[in-house]
Structure formats: structure tokens, C-alpha cells
Amino acid sequence: MATASPASDFAPVAAQAAAPARTRDPRLDFYRGIAMFIILIAHIPNDPWARWIPARFGFSDATEIFVFCSGMASAIAFGGAFLRKGWWLGTARVTFRIWQVYWAHIGLFFFVAMSMAALDLSGVFEKSYVSSLNLQHFFNDPMPQLVGIFTLTYVPNYFDILPMYLVVLAMMPLFMGLSRIGFWAVAVTSVAIWLVAQTGVLALPAEPWSQRQWFFNPFGWQLLFFTGFAFMRGWIPAPPVSKTLIWAAALFLVLSAPFGSWKVFLWVQAAAPDLATEIRKIWPLTAELRDKTDFGLFRYMHFLSLAYLGWVAAGEHGHRLIATGHSAGARVWQLVLKLITKVGQQSLAVFVFSMAAARLIGVALDQTGRDFASVFAANMIGFAMIIGVAYVAAWFKSHPWKTKK
């Protein structure tokens, strides 16, 4: 029997998967860019705009967009490396990315912790910004917390997305190895891990002085990541544009809203008190299904419904996200698309910056007040800053100092 090459070990899925992942879908960067803007708003303390982000109207939010799109982007960035160079070099490529994300997490924590400490030490502010992030444990007893930060056994609530992403990335070599058997092996394993995660036995400790666990359990959230990964690799075919599916997705979003959103529930209560009473009875029964930590089933269904409508709205191959025409409106739309897409292309740099900037924007709002003008200015300045970071990151990644031949 002839010996297969490393790349051929991924047959039969490799043949179908290689082609779809080579071209970067405009929908990927656009929606990931949208997520970055939402994440900034969500993390500015007491930002009134946060009342209108997707999380206030259903089970899923910008975190789901980030994780799903990261899975799609990983299929492009890393999945191809496994097919072209084999499992070992593919694993090395993922390991290098894990190394980058790990140090981004460490740097983010220490910058924010230093900033909050500097604000408290200034003596200018009445409140303690260190305590507002529950970081007093770190400063009161730094030695064990330093060990915890670097070993990811101390994960403060504000800094919990990147650790989850790290663990999910570390699972990629496993799933690419399983893909040698077939997509069914990948799917069964991912679903099995997700099911076990729902029991709580795979929860990871977040701090040594309490029983608190990681807010985002990576063993639950990997299901969404690898769903996006599978779509981009071509392991799962794109769903058809169907009126039945459109209506089904829309109805699920609408009917589930009172169960996933306190804001919507209050609207229902005001309009139909009897219906609200029945919803309140059912609400406790859905707690595990809408759980965010372990990524409950309703969150998965809600996001897939929302993603399907977004996919349909973008048009075939995302053609509605490619601005054409020369009118003033078309040029404005083209500029908006360009900026959002650029932010989506540099999501790690933008995410890390926005998490740090959000706290400082919150400090500024504490001083100015949160009237309409101040909030508008603060959010727009935040948007401008993350757009600027995206362009700067892209410039550095282009290696402009290298001599062009």
C-alpha cells in the first residue's frame, strides 16, 4: 500500500474543503466588524447605547458573532495550513496564534489594571476604579494572583473572552486530526464535548478565593466556533435561500425575545399582563437552555437564526456588501462598508484596544455626565479610535519597511 502524504491524510474532506476557504468572504469581515463596534459599546460602563445592542433583544449577542466569525476566519488562516503542510506544521501554526493571543490577554490585563490603579492613586476621583473591576484581590495579594493570571486560573470577569478563545484554538489540532476520519467524527466529538459541558463538569476555576468559574466555558462555546469553521471549510453546505427558513428564523427570534430579554419582557408585560404571567412561569424552565456560560441550546439556535437572516440579507457571495454606483449615497455606503470591514479584518488588535479604551471612556463619562451629547461624543470618539487602530494594525502587518522587488 502506498504511503499517503501528510496533506492527503485529510481526504476525503480536504478535496471539498480546500477551495471554499481560499477566498475571504466579505460577509465575514463585515459582521465581525459590526461585532467589534457592539463590543465596544457593551464594555463602556453605564453606556446608554448598550440598552439597544442585540443582547437586549434575545439570547445571543456580539460574543456569538465574534466566536462564530473567528471560527470562519480560522478556517481560512489555519485550516489551509493543515492541508498544505500536514498536521504537525498546521499545529505549529495554531500554536503560534495561541502564543499571540495569550500575550494579548496578559498585556490587556496589566494595562487595564495599571490604568485603574493610576486613577485611584491620583486621588482625583471619589470612586475606586480598581474595585469597580473587582481587582482589589489582585492588588491586596499580588503573588498568588500573578501566578493565576499567567496560568489562567485567575480570570477576572472583564478579561474572560480571550482565555476562552485560547482554549478553543488549542482544540483545533484535535478536530483537524478527526477530519481525517470524516466530518462525522468532527461533528460527533464537538457535540459530545458541548453536551458534557452542559453538566458543569468541564467548568474551569476563575479565582482561588471563591467557587466562581470562567464566565465563558470554552468546552461549550467550541460548538459555535467549529460550526463557523465547518461552514467556511465547506464541511457544511451553505443553507438555501428559502422563504420557509426565513420565516422560521424570524419567528424564533421574535417569539424567543421575551424569554431572552428583560427589556422585551417588560414590553410584553405592559401590553399583555396575562401573557407575561405565563412567560414568567416558563422562564425558570429555560434557564439552562439560555445559559451563557456553558452556551445553552437556545443561544445556539438564536444565533443561527440571526446569522441565517444576516447571510440572506447580505446576498449571494455578500454582493450587497460590495458598494457600487457613483451617487452621494453610494459613496457614503462604500465608505461605511470599507471602515467596518477594515475593523473586522483586524479584530484581535481592535478587540484588545477597545477593551482598554472602554474603561477610560467610562471614566470620561463619569466626569462629564451621561447626557445625550456626552454619550454621543464618547461613542463616536470610541468608534473613531478603533477604526484608527484597525488601519494602523493593517499598516504594520503590510511590512512597509520591506523593500519591494
Side-chain angles (χ1 to χ4, degrees), residues 87-331:
W87 189 86
W88 285 107
L89 285 181
T91 299
R93 177 71 180 89
V94 173
T95 301
F96 180 64
R97 184 58 169 175
I98 291 172
W99 178 255
Q100 292 175 314
V101 175
Y102 174 80
W103 286 109
H105 167 67
I106 297 297
L108 172 64
F109 172 81
F110 280 104
F111 177 83
V112 173
M114 177 278 297
S115 300
M116 300 301 102
L119 292 170
D120 283 8
L121 288 172
S122 70
V124 174
F125 307 98
E126 295 182 0
K127 67 182 291 186
S128 169
Y129 286 101
V130 166
S131 297
S132 70
L133 275 179
N134 198 29
L135 295 179
Q136 64 272 17
H137 296 281
F138 175 79
F139 288 102
N140 292 339
D141 192 14
M143 284 197 292
Q145 310 329 326
L146 275 172
V147 175
I149 282 292
F150 279 87
T151 59
L152 301 183
T153 55
Y154 171 41
V155 181
N157 267 331
Y158 191 73
F159 307 92
D160 38 29
I161 294 182
L162 291 182
M164 175 264 285
Y165 183 43
L166 282 169
V167 176
V168 173
L169 282 175
M171 298 172 71
M172 195 182 303
L174 166 65
F175 285 107
M176 290 304 296
L178 289 171
S179 72
R180 300 180 182 187
I181 302 172
F183 172 63
W184 65 268
V186 175
V188 168
T189 302
S190 181
V191 172
I193 293 173
W194 174 79
L195 286 171
V196 174
Q198 303 310 299
T199 68
V201 300
L202 296 179
L204 299 173
E207 55 194 21
W209 60 84
S210 77
Q211 298 300 311
R212 189 174 68 83
Q213 303 162 349
W214 282 23
F215 187 73
F216 296 107
N217 184 343
F219 301 106
W221 282 81
Q222 56 78 29
L223 178 66
L224 183 61
F225 179 91
F226 287 108
T227 299
F229 189 95
F231 270 117
M232 186 54 75
R233 290 243 50 93
W235 297 348
I236 300 176
V241 177
S242 161
K243 289 184 178 180
T244 300
L245 288 177
I246 291 172
W247 276 106
L251 283 173
F252 181 81
L253 294 177
V254 171
L255 296 177
S256 66
F259 297 93
S261 167
W262 184 247
K263 177 193 288 285
V264 177
F265 174 79
L266 293 178
W267 291 349
V268 173
Q269 188 175 48
D274 292 340
L275 177 59
T277 300
E278 295 303 315
I279 291 174
R280 191 185 290 274
K281 293 178 182 177
I282 300 173
W283 204 321
L285 304 177
T286 66
E288 292 185 3
L289 294 172
R290 52 187 166 85
D291 181 63
K292 189 169 187 175
T293 292
D294 296 321
F295 191 60
L297 178 61
F298 279 0
R299 299 190 72 87
Y300 188 55
M301 294 173 62
H302 186 274
F303 175 76
L304 290 182
S305 298
L306 193 61
Y308 177 72
L309 295 180
W311 181 80
V312 171
E316 187 176 1
H317 304 301
H319 73 270
R320 293 194 184 98
L321 302 180
I322 302 173
T324 58
H326 301 286
S327 66
R331 287 196 296 270

Side-chain angles (χ1 to χ4, degrees), residues 57-87:
F57 297 93
F59 299 118
S60 64
D61 55 29
T63 308
E64 278 83 357
I65 303 174
F66 176 78
V67 173
F68 183 79
C69 290
S70 293
M72 296 178 71
S74 294
I76 300 171
F78 313 127
F82 283 91
L83 299 177
R84 294 188 302 271
K85 300 295 185 179
W87 189 86

